[in-house]
Amino acid sequence: MKKWIFRIGFGLLFALPFMFVTGVWAQAKMIDISPANISDDDCTTCHPAFHNSWSTSAHGMAADDPEFVISWEEQGKPFECMACHTTGYDFRTQTWKDIGVTCEACHGPFTEDHPLNPMPSDRSPELCGSCHHDTLFEWNVSKHRQAQMDCVDCHGQHETSLKGEDANALCNSCHRERASSYAHTAHSEEGLGCADCHLAELDGEVGSGHAFRDHSFHVKLSTCNECHSYHCLLYTSPSPRDC
């Protein structure tokens, strides 16, 4: 009896992984997996959670966001905007493959050996910088870049929002000692967080390939002056032109 139990258990050990792979493959076979016929809706079959996160993200709504649509129409619908707000844009014909920044924009075209092999994924800042070019320039002069960090270390790949509860929690996950010291400062008592000084809001109109905040993480004098204008006058006297 024990011998039969051992044989059954030994057989299941090899059968269960095969059943799992077969099940995934059968699910994929429900759709036409030729690369020309695959769309982001087909990705939902196996990746519903990722698709749901992406569909409501800045990338998923890149061409549908009301603010973008209004701004685009006011500018006369310039075709070059769609190079970053669609996937597979062709400058010669001014047409595109998919609306929004879709799965293919980061994973590349669908391959016939998927799901047996994972889809490739470009996680490099250079890919993000192909549209967020100003932000990439700021990032390249930052100490985060020198530390070999990438955009996806702070931003979710599919939802595009910050990882963690908020910016402070995200910064504290690496800068624990500085966070502990900062907690006892006057700035902390005033309720200021890391992003208030190290990710200062940018001047000018947003929409030309940069984010709302400066990603060099440098603290600028102008940022300090927003709160300490009186001290600025004293510091720069007798030439307070920068205040």
Side-chain angles (χ1 to χ4, degrees):
M1 184 66 179
K2 291 182 179 180
K3 186 176 182 180
W4 279 105
I5 293 175
F6 174 78
R7 288 182 177 179
I8 293 172
F10 188 77
L12 288 173
L13 181 65
F14 289 93
L16 288 175
F18 178 77
M19 291 169 61
F20 174 77
V21 173
T22 303
V24 172
W25 179 252
Q27 190 177 30
K29 292 291 284 185
M30 293 169 60
I31 57 177
D32 183 354
I33 62 171
S34 57
N37 295 321
I38 290 295
S39 69
D40 286 297
D41 290 335
D42 295 319
C43 299
T44 312
T45 304
C46 297
H47 308 287
F50 290 153
H51 188 274
N52 290 339
S53 297
W54 164 83
S55 63
T56 56
S57 72
H59 284 168
M61 300 182 65
D64 300 323
D65 180 76
E67 290 187 16
F68 164 72
V69 173
I70 292 173
S71 177
W72 185 53
E73 291 177 346
E74 289 177 347
Q75 296 177 60
K77 299 182 178 181
F79 68 88
E80 59 268 20
C81 294
M82 305 313 288
C84 288
H85 289 263
T86 63
T87 300
Y89 185 82
D90 188 332
F91 278 96
R92 295 170 300 177
T93 62
Q94 298 181 22
T95 58
W96 51 85
K97 183 176 180 180
D98 291 304
I99 284 289
V101 182
T102 66
C103 308
E104 185 174 318
C106 298
H107 289 278
F110 184 82
T111 57
E112 292 185 352
D113 61 352
H114 186 70
L116 292 180
N117 287 312
M119 289 287 294
S121 178
D122 189 345
R123 297 161 55 93
S124 68
E126 286 69 29
L127 176 66
C128 303
S130 63
C131 285
H132 302 283
H133 38 81
D134 288 351
T135 303
L136 178 63
F137 176 79
E138 297 160 4
W139 176 261
N140 280 333
V141 299
S142 72
K143 289 188 175 181
H144 283 169
R145 180 59 166 158
Q146 294 173 18
Q148 303 301 312
M149 292 180 63
D150 294 328
C151 308
V152 295
D153 289 319
C154 296
H155 294 273
Q157 295 96 313
H158 297 103
E159 62 274 14
T160 67
S161 58
L162 281 179
K163 295 178 177 179
E165 296 180 7
D166 52 39
N168 285 341
L170 186 60
C171 298
N172 294 350
S173 64
C174 290
H175 303 286
R176 295 182 183 87
E177 292 185 7
R178 291 191 178 185
S180 178
S181 300
Y182 178 76
H184 304 286
T185 65
H187 283 167
S188 178
E189 292 178 358
E190 290 294 327
L192 293 174
C194 311
D196 292 313
C197 297
H198 289 277
L199 281 160
E201 292 186 4
L202 292 165
D203 297 327
E205 184 179 354
V206 175
S208 59
H210 59 69
F212 289 98
R213 294 181 178 271
D214 184 354
H215 277 66
S216 70
F217 299 93
H218 296 159
V219 179
K220 300 177 181 178
L221 180 61
S222 58
T223 303
C224 301
N225 293 344
E226 290 181 7
C227 296
H228 302 285
S229 55
Y230 173 73
H231 293 84
C232 173
L233 291 171
L234 295 178
Y235 179 77
T236 58
S237 180
S239 301
R241 292 190 299 271
D242 295 330
C243 295

